[in-house]
Amino acid sequence: MYETLRIDREEHLTWCTLNRPDALNAMSRTLIREVRDFFWRLPEDRETRVVVLRGAGRAFCAGYDQGQTGKSGTRHSDPKGKSHAEFIEFWQRNDAGRVGQWTHMWRLGKPIIAAVNGWAMGGGFWYQLAADITIASDQAVFAQPEVRHISNTTFLLGALCGWKAANRWGLTGDHFDAQEALRIGMVNEVVPHDQLMDATRALAKRIALVPEPSVRLNKSITMLGMQAAGVYSGLLLEGALGALAHSSHNEFREKLFETQREHGLKAYLDMRDGPFQPEPMGPRSAKGRQKKAAQ
């Protein structure tokens, strides 16, 4: 049914797997469309009681695909060849639409568990935040490195973890590990890497033992209650300010895009992230590199 999304069913549990392992499950336009379609169709599925969102291979999701280009040969985020109005319209539609996707996930009567097995960056970072529950492998790494090329963080991080933690990680794009994610309250549990799917399955089956009306209504009490208490208003503000951030093209970002046009994605990422190396945590930290070199 899908090109880049794999759906597997196990009794009352549905595994929704981002399936672009060679690209670290980076979110292409096709994958974004398929994830959205899956969640929009889910209310019609009477058999599924719990959904697990996971990534194939060694990553959960490396974020939005930075190497994907349109018919013009440039990224949608590249303003080359677009009028100011076209560029702003694209970002307003894109950022407002993302808020709609997350709130739809919250309205579903079926809990969504994110099983984070590795990299959870950018858009992947946001999707695991929007899930009802997150279980992380001890090899998981989280970050929003896109802020380094002018992008927005998400209000969800501040709502979930507090403004101190949100500012620490949202203003730098720095990587942080699973234990830090647990410390700040972003994930529910950290488990050994080889036990992640078993631990996730066990929790999903435990939830499925509870009568369906109780699960559906109690999820609504929490998730709709959070929106009524102000999270939805924060996300509406994010949609507007996120579009403003994305369309704030300046000389630095133009140099980044020029580098990608002429030398490719790797040169673009080296220019964007090089000044921030080594990262404070994870495999690109000084400690992580020493460990890898010793192996």
Side-chain angles (χ1 to χ4, degrees), residues 6 21 32 34 52 58 74 78 95 114 123 127 156 167 177 179 205 225 234 241 262 282:
R6 192 176 79 238
I32 293 168
E34 291 178 351
V52 175
R58 62 191 182 93
T74 60
D78 188 339
D95 291 355
Y127 264 96
L156 290 183
N167 284 333
D177 60 23
Q179 289 300 329
K205 288 187 173 182
L241 293 180
E262 295 176 10

Side-chain angles (χ1 to χ4, degrees), residues 221-277:
I221 286 171
T222 299
M223 304 314 295
L224 300 186
M226 288 288 291
Q227 292 182 70
V231 169
Y232 185 61
S233 296
L235 287 175
L236 291 178
L237 183 64
E238 177 189 330
L241 293 180
L244 183 61
H246 280 134
S247 55
S248 295
H249 191 69
N250 64 7
E251 295 82 359
F252 171 71
R253 191 157 67 168
E254 181 59 29
K255 288 180 181 178
L256 282 173
F257 283 137
E258 285 178 0
T259 298
Q260 183 168 4
R261 294 175 204 137
E262 295 176 10
H263 304 290
L265 180 59
K266 185 178 184 304
Y268 169 91
L269 294 175
D270 286 345
M271 181 179 177
R272 186 191 73 177
D273 296 330
F276 294 91
Q277 303 301 314

Side-chain angles (χ1 to χ4, degrees), residues 86-140:
E86 289 172 331
F87 191 54
I88 293 171
E89 185 277 336
F90 165 75
W91 282 118
Q92 183 180 21
R93 174 167 42 84
N94 181 81
D95 291 355
R98 187 173 58 245
V99 170
Q101 292 169 35
W102 293 341
T103 53
H104 175 75
M105 290 166 63
W106 297 344
R107 286 193 298 271
L108 293 171
K110 310 167 198 299
I112 301 166
I113 304 174
V116 181
N117 59 313
W119 299 100
M121 318 293 277
F125 178 91
W126 293 345
Y127 264 96
Q128 64 82 27
L129 275 173
D132 301 302
I133 295 169
T134 299
I135 301 179
S137 152
D138 57 8
Q139 296 181 20

Side-chain angles (χ1 to χ4, degrees), residues 10-265:
E10 178 184 332
E11 297 181 16
H12 295 301
L13 168 61
T14 292
W15 299 86
C16 175
T17 307
L18 309 178
N19 196 26
R20 299 185 72 213
D22 292 343
L24 300 180
N25 303 315
M27 302 193 80
S28 63
R29 287 189 292 278
T30 299
L31 182 54
I32 293 168
R33 183 174 64 250
E34 291 178 351
V35 170
R36 182 172 61 237
D37 179 77
F38 169 76
F39 283 124
W40 280 101
R41 291 173 181 268
L42 199 57
E44 303 168 9
D45 182 352
R46 299 300 183 186
E47 291 300 315
T48 295
R49 297 281 304 281
V50 183
V51 174
V52 175
L53 183 63
R54 62 180 178 176
R58 62 191 182 93
F60 176 74
C61 175
Y64 294 107
D65 193 334
Q66 304 294 328
Q68 187 170 237
T69 59
K71 294 179 181 179
S72 65
T74 60
R75 290 162 49 177
H76 283 299
S77 55
D78 188 339
K80 185 178 181 181
K82 303 180 181 73
S83 69
H84 291 299
E86 289 172 331
F87 191 54
I88 293 171
E89 185 277 336
F90 165 75
W91 282 118
Q92 183 180 21
R93 174 167 42 84
N94 181 81
D95 291 355
R98 187 173 58 245
V99 170
Q101 292 169 35
W102 293 341
T103 53
H104 175 75
M105 290 166 63
W106 297 344
R107 286 193 298 271
L108 293 171
K110 310 167 198 299
I112 301 166
I113 304 174
V116 181
N117 59 313
W119 299 100
M121 318 293 277
F125 178 91
W126 293 345
Y127 264 96
Q128 64 82 27
L129 275 173
D132 301 302
I133 295 169
T134 299
I135 301 179
S137 152
D138 57 8
Q139 296 181 20
V141 183
F142 302 89
Q144 299 173 96
E146 67 276 14
V147 302
R148 299 171 180 175
H149 62 223
I150 308 180
S151 181
N152 61 299
T153 181
T154 174
F155 177 71
L156 290 183
L157 184 57
L160 187 59
C161 304
W163 54 273
K164 294 283 188 178
N167 284 333
R168 168 61 186 91
W169 302 111
L171 298 183
T172 60
D174 282 344
H175 298 184
F176 58 98
D177 60 23
Q179 289 300 329
E180 174 66 4
L182 182 65
R183 187 189 72 81
I184 64 177
M186 195 183 78
V187 305
N188 296 80
E189 186 177 358
V190 176
V191 300
H193 184 72
D194 60 358
Q195 297 176 25
L196 175 62
M197 296 311 161
D198 287 341
T200 303
R201 178 185 286 106
L203 176 59
K205 288 187 173 182
R206 192 170 181 83
I207 292 172
L209 289 173
V210 179
E212 186 276 338
S214 187
V215 173
R216 171 168 42 85
L217 293 170
N218 282 311
K219 172 177 170 174
S220 294
I221 286 171
T222 299
M223 304 314 295
L224 300 186
M226 288 288 291
Q227 292 182 70
V231 169
Y232 185 61
S233 296
L235 287 175
L236 291 178
L237 183 64
E238 177 189 330
L241 293 180
L244 183 61
H246 280 134
S247 55
S248 295
H249 191 69
N250 64 7
E251 295 82 359
F252 171 71
R253 191 157 67 168
E254 181 59 29
K255 288 180 181 178
L256 282 173
F257 283 137
E258 285 178 0
T259 298
Q260 183 168 4
R261 294 175 204 137
E262 295 176 10
H263 304 290
L265 180 59

